[in-house]
Amino acid sequence: MAADTIFALSSGQPPAAIAIVRISGPKASDALKALSGSVPEERRARLAKLNDPVSGDLLDTALVLWFPGPNSASGEDLAEIHCHGGRAVVRILEKALENMDGLRPAEPGEFTRRAFTHGRMDLAEAEGLSDLLFAETELQRRSAVQAAGGALSRKVEDWQSAILRLSAMVEAELDFSDEDDVTPAQLSVVHSAAAELAKEMKNMLDRPRAEKLREGVRVVLGGPPNSGKSTLLNALVEREAAIVSSIAGTTRDVIEVPIAIKGIPFLFIDTAGVRDEGAEEIERIGIDRARQQFDLADLILWLGREGEGPHNANMVEIASRQDHPDYLPKSSDTLSVSPITGDGMDALVTLLVDRAKKIVPRGDEISVNKRQAHHLNDAQQNLDAISGLQDYLIIAEQLRLARSALDALTGRASTEDMLDSLFGKFCIGK
């Protein structure tokens, strides 16, 4: 258990109707008793007058709750004070807590980190909670709720149990094969079971990564100067996000606009007009950055001449400016749009959503992030390697390595730097 006791505002910033202040640590009960006179019955709210322990002044009337560890959100003794949400009330309450011996304000993510340390959640669940805190779309929320609720952790636990059973079979063959009451493990059984587990892991690895839901589908608008990129961007995001002008080279830098369409997060990126001649120095820098964006794009909308766009499998030819005198039609199967009149825009949005659904994870299935995928890939490769092995000692080692990789995925084997990076992104009261 941590030696110090922490406190923080865990609800939204005041002013608000109600503010929730949490206290976690060995002196949580002392702090609650000093403010309200006594500790209430566990897990039952009680109305109490809060008084300054030093001056005796009335601070507020609030609901107080008591959650003894280890069965609390943080895994240690925890108190909650539900007070009025005015700035002055919260400020004076925090000041009274800070003046108590052994109490200090919490650091960002420290409540959740203590929950992780005390086994109340694993690392995969903590990462899901982080995604939930930053979720802005329904799809993001659904995916994050699954992860925070332990969907991935339960799947990993199933895999761990299956690998442990295989390890027991192999160890029995190694250590007790001469005893009549032990059934020797058959290589074909071990090979088959390991291959099936590896296949399940591979199927999960083949799904879109969880980061794409947080970052959004990167849609880059490309084309030569005056091809209608900025006009199309403004029409897609339904606001004046980019300057529109007939002067070539108006857009000189990358413009990024995040937006959700039908619940799917997108990041639309307007770029400088791409041309080989006539660009001055600053414009050439913008053109270089545009080409870099083409390499990073999930989807490129090319508004230039047909066939002149970047050689990218994710490129879609768009015949823009349908209403313009200089309109250049493309192939019959190319989407033709006019951001000014709105012709073809619904079809373009449908195309974007359909393509995005193949790039982002589904909200009802488990997906992994880059860190989790790294460890899951290690486990999958260790299990795959068993298929051609005949030596039980080497098989046992591959199974051990697979278990170790899954331990790292859930945080049972981790480094302080990685934990600092994750929990540091949380808000103070988490």
Side-chain angles (χ1 to χ4, degrees):
M1 181 175 287
D4 51 359
T5 298
I6 57 174
F7 66 89
L9 176 68
S10 291
S11 53
Q13 289 299 315
I18 299 294
I20 301 175
V21 176
R22 297 170 106 188
I23 310 166
S24 182
K27 292 194 174 183
S29 61
D30 294 340
L32 194 58
K33 186 175 181 179
L35 287 169
S36 65
S38 62
V39 176
E41 183 180 347
E42 62 182 68
R43 291 175 176 78
R44 296 196 66 176
R46 177 173 65 83
L47 186 66
K49 292 185 181 298
L50 306 180
N51 295 287
D52 189 294
V54 177
S55 67
D57 292 342
L58 178 65
L59 304 180
D60 193 20
T61 300
L63 288 177
V64 293
L65 295 98
W66 171 241
F67 304 93
N71 297 318
S72 68
S74 63
E76 56 190 10
D77 288 351
L78 184 142
E80 285 189 0
I81 299 172
H82 296 224
C83 59
H84 292 95
R87 290 190 180 92
V89 175
V90 173
R91 188 162 53 244
I92 194 66
L93 181 56
E94 289 179 330
K95 183 179 179 181
L97 290 169
E98 193 166 5
N99 287 335
M100 296 181 189
D101 291 337
L103 269 71
R104 64 168 175 83
E107 297 176 358
E110 192 168 4
F111 282 90
T112 307
R113 181 159 185 166
R114 290 191 177 199
F116 169 77
T117 301
H118 291 91
R120 299 299 293 173
M121 65 171 61
D122 63 26
L123 192 55
E125 292 169 323
E127 287 170 319
L129 179 58
S130 176
D131 289 340
L132 186 59
L133 294 175
F134 291 99
E136 295 184 358
T137 71
E138 175 62 13
L139 192 59
Q140 290 171 331
R141 184 198 66 80
R142 288 166 57 196
S143 179
V145 163
Q146 276 214 93
L152 174 58
S153 301
R154 288 190 293 274
K155 188 62 181 175
V156 171
E157 187 176 339
D158 290 342
W159 287 332
Q160 287 276 36
S161 297
I163 294 172
L164 198 58
R165 287 193 294 271
L166 285 180
S167 296
M169 292 172 63
V170 172
E171 293 296 335
E173 178 67 15
L174 286 170
D175 298 338
F176 307 108
S177 58
D178 57 336
E179 298 184 13
D180 294 337
D181 59 343
V182 176
T183 303
Q186 299 295 320
L187 272 176
S188 60
V189 174
V190 175
H191 288 167
S192 176
E196 184 61 31
L197 287 170
K199 182 180 178 181
E200 288 184 24
M201 295 178 187
K202 182 66 165 58
N203 289 338
M204 187 171 291
L205 286 167
D206 288 341
R207 296 173 184 172
R209 291 286 179 268
E211 285 93 348
K212 192 52 62 179
L213 267 181
R214 182 171 62 251
E215 299 166 359
V217 178
R218 296 179 68 89
V219 180
V220 177
L221 283 67
N226 289 340
S227 58
K229 300 183 299 299
S230 297
T231 303
L232 181 57
L233 172 72
N234 291 340
L236 285 168
V237 302
E238 298 181 343
R239 65 183 176 89
E240 296 296 317
I243 298 174
V244 177
S245 170
S246 60
I247 301 173
T250 299
T251 302
R252 298 186 175 211
D253 204 351
V254 172
I255 298 175
E256 298 184 349
V257 185
I259 191 173
I261 300 178
K262 297 186 178 179
I264 299 176
F266 286 89
L267 183 64
F268 287 104
I269 302 169
D270 190 14
T271 59
V274 178
R275 55 177 171 175
D276 296 324
E277 298 179 355
E280 41 83 22
E281 182 178 357
I282 295 179
E283 188 182 348
R284 284 198 300 272
I285 294 173
I287 292 171
D288 289 340
R289 291 182 178 179
R291 290 182 171 131
Q292 292 171 6
Q293 289 297 322
F294 294 155
D295 294 334
L296 299 173
D298 295 311
L299 198 60
I300 301 171
L301 302 183
W302 179 253
L303 279 62
R305 290 182 180 274
E306 190 168 8
E308 294 184 359
H311 299 291
N312 191 306
N314 298 323
M315 191 187 73
V316 177
E317 294 275 4
I318 301 292
S320 187
R321 305 201 304 172
Q322 188 184 68
D323 58 291
H324 199 275
D326 297 333
Y327 170 69
L328 293 175
K330 296 185 179 182
S331 306
S332 58
D333 59 346
T334 301
L335 190 59
S336 180
V337 302
S338 169
I340 302 300
T341 66
D343 290 345
M345 292 300 295
D346 288 343
L348 176 56
V349 169
T350 299
L351 181 148
L352 290 170
V353 170
D354 289 344
R355 290 292 189 95
K357 286 179 178 177
K358 299 176 182 178
I359 297 171
V360 300
R362 287 167 38 193
D364 58 351
E365 69 179 8
I366 303 171
S367 59
V368 293
N369 61 32
K370 183 178 180 180
R371 184 199 68 82
Q372 295 162 351
H374 169 74
H375 297 299
L376 187 58
N377 183 66
D378 285 347
Q380 184 248 324
Q381 289 187 353
N382 292 133
L383 292 170
D384 262 341
I386 292 174
S387 62
L389 297 177
Q390 303 294 315
D391 190 322
Y392 281 114
L393 278 173
I394 300 177
I395 292 174
E397 177 62 10
Q398 292 294 340
L399 290 171
R400 186 193 67 79
L401 290 173
R403 294 199 311 272
S404 178
L406 293 180
D407 279 342
L409 192 158
T410 55
R412 293 187 177 93
S414 56
T415 66
E416 287 299 307
D417 288 343
M418 183 270 292
L419 294 176
D420 287 343
S421 176
L422 169 64
F423 294 118
K425 293 185 293 185
F426 283 60
C427 58
I428 298 295
K430 270 291 179 185

